[in-house]
Amino acid sequence: MRRKPTNRTSYKEVCALYEKFGRSDYRLRSAEDILNIHGFDIRETDGYEDLTQEQKELFESYCVTHMNSLGMNTKITMWPKSVHYVKEYDYYSAPEWDEDEQRNIRWEIGREWIILKANRRTKKFKKYMDEGKTMADVDAVSTQEKEYLRVDWKYQGRAEWFHVMAPDKYY
């Protein structure tokens, strides 16, 4: 089943649902609140089934926190399109002398995202390299990696994604 934005697109209708479910402060408290008030189950988000239990809990807490940080007109149009736990690699060149800076600089020349699934399998998500650069140009010593939950949202006719490290720590 596909998630979708609230089918109750009237501001007044959604406010009435918050009050009906005891949320007179208009703040969500759980995934069930999102389902009851906004009409979609975040547990049906693409990729949710590939998360560990801890990652699922992080995703649910983050969704509640993020939706509470937005105005009602945005909340009634949004839904999470996908969620993945990813490992991101930032690839840099070997140090090059920069005359302007008068020091050696490593330039970022590529980036790669790998989806890490709960069953320990991986899936290439996306990779790019600067034009004319290959993996042979990467300085392995300077490669940086980080892991986070990637959440893609659809709202108000556009898409946006966030790096999520904690329910209240995302960008």
Side-chain angles (χ1 to χ4, degrees), residues 10-52:
S10 160
Y11 185 95
K12 286 183 181 182
E13 284 179 319
V14 175
C15 288
L17 283 170
Y18 272 86
E19 292 171 14
K20 175 184 173 187
F21 287 98
R23 305 294 182 247
S24 57
D25 59 357
Y26 303 106
R27 302 205 34 91
L28 300 164
R29 290 182 182 67
S30 66
E32 287 74 28
D33 282 351
I34 295 171
L35 176 60
N36 293 331
I37 297 168
H38 291 281
F40 61 88
D41 189 348
I42 61 173
R43 294 178 185 117
E44 293 179 358
T45 302
D46 291 341
Y48 182 85
E49 67 281 352
D50 294 327
L51 302 176
T52 65

Side-chain angles (χ1 to χ4, degrees), residues 111-146:
R111 189 171 286 173
E112 181 174 23
W113 294 268
I114 307 287
I115 295 173
L116 306 174
K117 297 183 177 188
N119 64 6
R120 301 185 190 270
R121 298 185 109 172
T122 61
K123 178 182 175 186
K124 272 197 178 183
F125 183 61
K126 189 185 278 188
K127 181 177 183 176
Y128 81 87
M129 296 296 286
D130 285 351
E131 191 173 323
K133 300 292 184 179
T134 67
M135 288 304 288
D137 299 311
V138 172
D139 180 22
V141 174
S142 63
T143 296
Q144 295 179 2
E145 55 183 80
K146 55 188 167 192

Side-chain angles (χ1 to χ4, degrees), residues 16 147 171:
E147 294 180 16
Y171 62 95

Side-chain angles (χ1 to χ4, degrees), residues 140-155:
V141 174
S142 63
T143 296
Q144 295 179 2
E145 55 183 80
K146 55 188 167 192
E147 294 180 16
Y148 54 86
L149 204 60
R150 177 191 164 120
V151 181
D152 294 85
W153 289 91
K154 291 289 251 179
Y155 66 98

